[in-house]
PDB file of all heavy atoms in Angstrom:
ATOM      1  N   PRO W 830      -9.234 -11.637   7.008  1.00  0.00           N
ATOM      2  CA  PRO W 830      -9.458 -12.869   6.186  1.00  0.00           C
ATOM      3  C   PRO W 830     -10.577 -12.642   5.193  1.00  0.00           C
ATOM      4  O   PRO W 830     -11.421 -11.756   5.266  1.00  0.00           O
ATOM      5  CB  PRO W 830      -9.860 -13.863   7.249  1.00  0.00           C
ATOM      6  CG  PRO W 830     -10.514 -13.092   8.299  1.00  0.00           C
ATOM      7  CD  PRO W 830      -9.767 -11.754   8.348  1.00  0.00           C
ATOM      8  N   GLY W 831     -10.654 -13.477   4.171  1.00  0.00           N
ATOM      9  CA  GLY W 831     -11.650 -13.393   3.163  1.00  0.00           C
ATOM     10  C   GLY W 831     -11.867 -14.680   2.423  1.00  0.00           C
ATOM     11  O   GLY W 831     -11.081 -15.616   2.518  1.00  0.00           O
ATOM     12  N   LEU W 832     -12.908 -14.738   1.611  1.00  0.00           N
ATOM     13  CA  LEU W 832     -13.196 -15.840   0.656  1.00  0.00           C
ATOM     14  C   LEU W 832     -13.616 -15.261  -0.643  1.00  0.00           C
ATOM     15  O   LEU W 832     -14.516 -14.312  -0.596  1.00  0.00           O
ATOM     16  CB  LEU W 832     -14.269 -16.800   1.223  1.00  0.00           C
ATOM     17  CG  LEU W 832     -13.790 -17.830   2.248  1.00  0.00           C
ATOM     18  CD1 LEU W 832     -14.952 -18.651   2.744  1.00  0.00           C
ATOM     19  CD2 LEU W 832     -12.739 -18.763   1.647  1.00  0.00           C
ATOM     20  N   TYR W 833     -13.131 -15.702  -1.761  1.00  0.00           N
ATOM     21  CA  TYR W 833     -13.402 -15.092  -3.043  1.00  0.00           C
ATOM     22  C   TYR W 833     -13.697 -16.179  -4.047  1.00  0.00           C
ATOM     23  O   TYR W 833     -12.790 -16.972  -4.414  1.00  0.00           O
ATOM     24  CB  TYR W 833     -12.263 -14.204  -3.481  1.00  0.00           C
ATOM     25  CG  TYR W 833     -11.770 -13.320  -2.372  1.00  0.00           C
ATOM     26  CD1 TYR W 833     -10.685 -13.652  -1.543  1.00  0.00           C
ATOM     27  CD2 TYR W 833     -12.415 -12.090  -2.173  1.00  0.00           C
ATOM     28  CE1 TYR W 833     -10.295 -12.836  -0.497  1.00  0.00           C
ATOM     29  CE2 TYR W 833     -12.008 -11.265  -1.081  1.00  0.00           C
ATOM     30  CZ  TYR W 833     -10.934 -11.635  -0.305  1.00  0.00           C
ATOM     31  OH  TYR W 833     -10.554 -10.823   0.730  1.00  0.00           O
ATOM     32  N   LEU W 834     -14.921 -16.302  -4.487  1.00  0.00           N
ATOM     33  CA  LEU W 834     -15.326 -17.305  -5.444  1.00  0.00           C
ATOM     34  C   LEU W 834     -15.988 -16.586  -6.667  1.00  0.00           C
ATOM     35  O   LEU W 834     -17.023 -16.004  -6.479  1.00  0.00           O
ATOM     36  CB  LEU W 834     -16.345 -18.230  -4.765  1.00  0.00           C
ATOM     37  CG  LEU W 834     -15.858 -18.914  -3.455  1.00  0.00           C
ATOM     38  CD1 LEU W 834     -16.987 -19.635  -2.767  1.00  0.00           C
ATOM     39  CD2 LEU W 834     -14.717 -19.876  -3.732  1.00  0.00           C
ATOM     40  N   PRO W 835     -15.406 -16.676  -7.807  1.00  0.00           N
ATOM     41  CA  PRO W 835     -15.836 -15.936  -9.002  1.00  0.00           C
ATOM     42  C   PRO W 835     -17.345 -16.046  -9.296  1.00  0.00           C
ATOM     43  O   PRO W 835     -17.983 -15.050  -9.676  1.00  0.00           O
ATOM     44  CB  PRO W 835     -14.992 -16.462 -10.109  1.00  0.00           C
ATOM     45  CG  PRO W 835     -13.705 -16.919  -9.458  1.00  0.00           C
ATOM     46  CD  PRO W 835     -14.153 -17.464  -8.127  1.00  0.00           C
ATOM     47  N   GLU W 836     -17.920 -17.202  -9.084  1.00  0.00           N
ATOM     48  CA  GLU W 836     -19.319 -17.413  -9.401  1.00  0.00           C
ATOM     49  C   GLU W 836     -20.243 -17.064  -8.234  1.00  0.00           C
ATOM     50  O   GLU W 836     -21.470 -17.086  -8.374  1.00  0.00           O
ATOM     51  CB  GLU W 836     -19.584 -18.895  -9.798  1.00  0.00           C
ATOM     52  CG  GLU W 836     -18.866 -19.242 -11.110  1.00  0.00           C
ATOM     53  CD  GLU W 836     -19.213 -18.333 -12.263  1.00  0.00           C
ATOM     54  OE1 GLU W 836     -20.402 -17.986 -12.437  1.00  0.00           O
ATOM     55  OE2 GLU W 836     -18.264 -17.847 -12.934  1.00  0.00           O
ATOM     56  N   PHE W 837     -19.677 -16.770  -7.098  1.00  0.00           N
ATOM     57  CA  PHE W 837     -20.436 -16.416  -5.902  1.00  0.00           C
ATOM     58  C   PHE W 837     -20.268 -14.927  -5.524  1.00  0.00           C
ATOM     59  O   PHE W 837     -21.184 -14.166  -5.332  1.00  0.00           O
ATOM     60  CB  PHE W 837     -20.032 -17.299  -4.706  1.00  0.00           C
ATOM     61  CG  PHE W 837     -20.510 -16.834  -3.403  1.00  0.00           C
ATOM     62  CD1 PHE W 837     -21.845 -17.044  -3.016  1.00  0.00           C
ATOM     63  CD2 PHE W 837     -19.637 -16.202  -2.535  1.00  0.00           C
ATOM     64  CE1 PHE W 837     -22.268 -16.566  -1.744  1.00  0.00           C
ATOM     65  CE2 PHE W 837     -20.077 -15.792  -1.242  1.00  0.00           C
ATOM     66  CZ  PHE W 837     -21.377 -15.999  -0.879  1.00  0.00           C
ATOM     67  N   GLY W 838     -19.011 -14.544  -5.487  1.00  0.00           N
ATOM     68  CA  GLY W 838     -18.639 -13.165  -5.019  1.00  0.00           C
ATOM     69  C   GLY W 838     -17.595 -13.265  -3.933  1.00  0.00           C
ATOM     70  O   GLY W 838     -16.803 -14.223  -3.880  1.00  0.00           O
ATOM     71  N   GLY W 839     -17.564 -12.225  -3.072  1.00  0.00           N
ATOM     72  CA  GLY W 839     -16.498 -12.248  -2.114  1.00  0.00           C
ATOM     73  C   GLY W 839     -17.016 -11.808  -0.721  1.00  0.00           C
ATOM     74  O   GLY W 839     -18.008 -11.097  -0.583  1.00  0.00           O
ATOM     75  N   VAL W 840     -16.329 -12.300   0.309  1.00  0.00           N
ATOM     76  CA  VAL W 840     -16.575 -11.911   1.660  1.00  0.00           C
ATOM     77  C   VAL W 840     -15.236 -11.537   2.319  1.00  0.00           C
ATOM     78  O   VAL W 840     -14.310 -12.314   2.220  1.00  0.00           O
ATOM     79  CB  VAL W 840     -17.216 -13.057   2.491  1.00  0.00           C
ATOM     80  CG1 VAL W 840     -17.349 -12.683   3.956  1.00  0.00           C
ATOM     81  CG2 VAL W 840     -18.567 -13.441   1.931  1.00  0.00           C
ATOM     82  N   ARG W 841     -15.158 -10.390   2.861  1.00  0.00           N
ATOM     83  CA  ARG W 841     -13.955  -9.974   3.653  1.00  0.00           C
ATOM     84  C   ARG W 841     -14.405  -9.204   4.880  1.00  0.00           C
ATOM     85  O   ARG W 841     -15.312  -8.409   4.796  1.00  0.00           O
ATOM     86  CB  ARG W 841     -13.020  -9.170   2.826  1.00  0.00           C
ATOM     87  CG  ARG W 841     -11.744  -8.801   3.561  1.00  0.00           C
ATOM     88  CD  ARG W 841     -10.639  -8.283   2.618  1.00  0.00           C
ATOM     89  NE  ARG W 841     -10.849  -7.066   1.925  1.00  0.00           N
ATOM     90  CZ  ARG W 841     -11.122  -6.990   0.652  1.00  0.00           C
ATOM     91  NH1 ARG W 841     -11.185  -8.077  -0.099  1.00  0.00           N
ATOM     92  NH2 ARG W 841     -11.359  -5.809   0.071  1.00  0.00           N
TER      93      ARG W 841
END
Side-chain angles (χ1 to χ4, degrees):
L832 280 176
Y833 311 94
L834 305 170
E836 295 306 313
F837 166 76
V840 175
R841 182 163 65 253

